[in-house]
């Protein structure tokens, strides 16, 4: 919600042309059709102020395994023993369903790997 944003984030959002109506989803998101790579560097910087990373912005957790960037695939394989079949069949926006490990029990490396896929403790 717009009203809950700290002032620094409101300023960044306004520089990205958001206002309360667009931010709260009452109108179409002006960046909905853009991938992170298509954003200008200053736009990426402003989204980072808003707490976005490339993975979160691009919603990698919605991707099929073979469409994930190679480094994300490798992290999922090495730290969670996931492959295309396990990712595609059980992931469905809730990684804990696949790993059977709570966020608090993940190692720091596993939490960072989850972050590479755009997953935070709130999504997990």
């Amino acid at each position: 919600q717009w009203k809950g944003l700290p002032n620094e984030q409101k300023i960044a959002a306004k520089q990205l042309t958001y206002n309360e109506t667009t931010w709260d989803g009452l109108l179409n998101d002006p960046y909905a059709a853009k991938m992170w790579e298509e954003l200008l560097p200053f736009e990426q910087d402003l989204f980072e102020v808003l707490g976005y990373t490339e993975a979160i912005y691009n919603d990698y957790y919605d991707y099929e395994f073979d469409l994930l960037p190679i480094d994300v695939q490798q992290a999922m394989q090495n730290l969670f023993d996931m492959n295309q079949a396990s990712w595609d069949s059980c992931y469905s926006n809730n990684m804990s369903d696949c790993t059977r490990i709570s966020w608090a029990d993940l190692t720091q490396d596993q939490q960072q790997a989850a972050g590479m896929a755009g997953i935070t403790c709130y999504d997990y």
Side-chain angles (χ1 to χ4, degrees):
Q1 294 286 333
W2 180 264
K3 291 180 182 177
L5 288 177
N7 283 337
E8 178 185 14
Q9 290 184 328
K10 281 184 183 174
I11 291 167
K14 285 179 182 178
Q15 290 175 324
L16 289 165
T17 70
Y18 286 103
N19 58 40
E20 185 171 359
T21 304
T22 54
W23 185 261
D24 289 346
L26 301 175
L27 290 177
N28 292 336
D29 181 348
Y31 291 90
K34 279 190 170 185
M35 297 296 289
W36 182 266
E37 301 78 21
E38 297 171 315
L39 297 173
L40 298 172
F42 84 91
E43 292 171 324
Q44 291 176 353
D45 292 342
L46 292 169
F47 274 108
E48 287 174 353
V49 170
L50 293 167
Y52 286 85
T53 63
E54 177 181 359
I56 294 169
Y57 183 89
N58 285 342
D59 290 333
Y60 285 151
Y61 59 83
D62 287 338
Y63 284 38
E64 291 184 20
F65 189 82
D66 61 340
L67 298 178
L68 292 170
I70 295 298
D71 59 335
V72 176
Q73 288 181 28
Q74 290 172 340
M76 294 297 112
Q77 289 171 332
N78 295 338
L79 294 167
F80 294 105
D81 198 29
M82 288 185 157
N83 57 33
Q84 183 167 351
S86 59
W87 177 274
D88 292 346
S89 69
C90 76
Y91 183 56
S92 67
N93 288 341
N94 191 344
M95 196 164 153
S96 64
D97 286 348
C98 292
T99 64
R100 303 286 183 225
I101 305 170
S102 72
W103 182 265
D105 291 331
L106 295 178
T107 66
Q108 185 174 5
D109 287 342
Q110 288 173 318
Q111 289 180 2
Q112 288 175 344
M116 290 175 68
I119 302 159
T120 68
C121 62
Y122 303 108
D123 306 310
Y124 192 81

